[in-house]
Amino acid sequence: MMILYTFFIIIASYFVLDPLIVLDRTDQALGDYDFVRSSPDAEVLIEGTGKQQISDDQVFTTLKIIRTNWNKTPLALDEGTMIEAKEYFVVYRNLTIMGSQWIPGRSLFGMGTDYVHVKKGERRTLYLAFNPETNKLLILPSNLVSR
């Protein structure tokens, strides 16, 4: 009976920890990515909020707009507006990349670009691309922007 109880505690701990553990490995790229330079739809000065949302294999961040330099999107990117934008990161489950079934959580990896997550309180000018199909914004790394 004690073995069954211990086994239950281990399994329950795994399922409790799995959604909570996120390892930041954004300085590493897992795989080869080939991107094409593209024209941005907006240029904005933002302030980071430090909030990240992980949805399946995508990472989104919440940003506060300080100033819009120019905007070709149908969205109102006004001063003080909070926006959610997709970051150039990819999410892998730890059990997939580490080879062990007993390692809970996920890891965030970079995609071979110069993009770095905007930290809380950090101000930075970003280029944004707009996807009309999903009505979402994507942060373009500066090395992928064609001017």
Side-chain angles (χ1 to χ4, degrees):
M1 183 69 178
M2 187 63 159
I3 293 173
L4 184 61
Y5 180 71
T6 305
F7 183 71
F8 176 76
I9 294 296
I10 291 170
I11 297 297
S13 298
Y14 177 87
F15 285 106
V16 167
L17 292 175
D18 189 49
L20 301 176
I21 296 175
V22 178
L23 302 177
D24 182 3
R25 297 177 174 189
T26 54
D27 58 333
Q28 304 170 28
L30 192 61
D32 293 324
Y33 299 93
D34 190 20
F35 298 110
V36 178
R37 289 180 174 268
S38 60
S39 298
D41 296 317
E43 180 182 29
V44 292
L45 174 65
I46 55 89
E47 182 176 320
T49 62
K51 297 177 185 174
Q52 269 185 327
Q53 299 84 28
I54 299 171
S55 171
D56 296 326
D57 64 342
Q58 299 181 352
V59 182
F60 294 89
T61 188
T62 304
L63 305 166
K64 179 180 178 184
I65 295 178
I66 303 300
R67 181 183 69 238
T68 301
N69 296 337
W70 50 268
N71 179 13
K72 297 178 190 173
T73 73
L75 304 176
L77 301 177
D78 300 324
E79 180 179 331
T81 304
M82 300 293 262
I83 62 169
E84 190 175 88
K86 183 180 180 305
E87 298 184 282
Y88 260 79
F89 298 137
V90 67
V91 181
Y92 286 97
R93 299 199 50 81
N94 287 337
L95 64 93
T96 305
I97 58 172
M98 295 185 184
S100 172
Q101 298 279 341
W102 299 104
I103 300 175
R106 299 161 289 179
S107 291
L108 302 181
F109 284 92
M111 297 176 78
T113 67
D114 64 354
Y115 177 73
V116 178
H117 175 66
V118 182
K119 306 219 180 327
K120 184 176 183 174
E122 178 184 358
R123 290 184 175 200
R124 189 189 313 170
T125 299
L126 293 178
Y127 296 101
L128 303 174
F130 178 71
N131 184 342
E133 294 173 4
T134 61
N135 210 33
K136 300 234 183 229
L137 293 168
L138 168 69
I139 299 171
L140 289 176
S142 59
N143 64 334
L144 296 181
V145 173
S146 64
R147 298 171 200 226

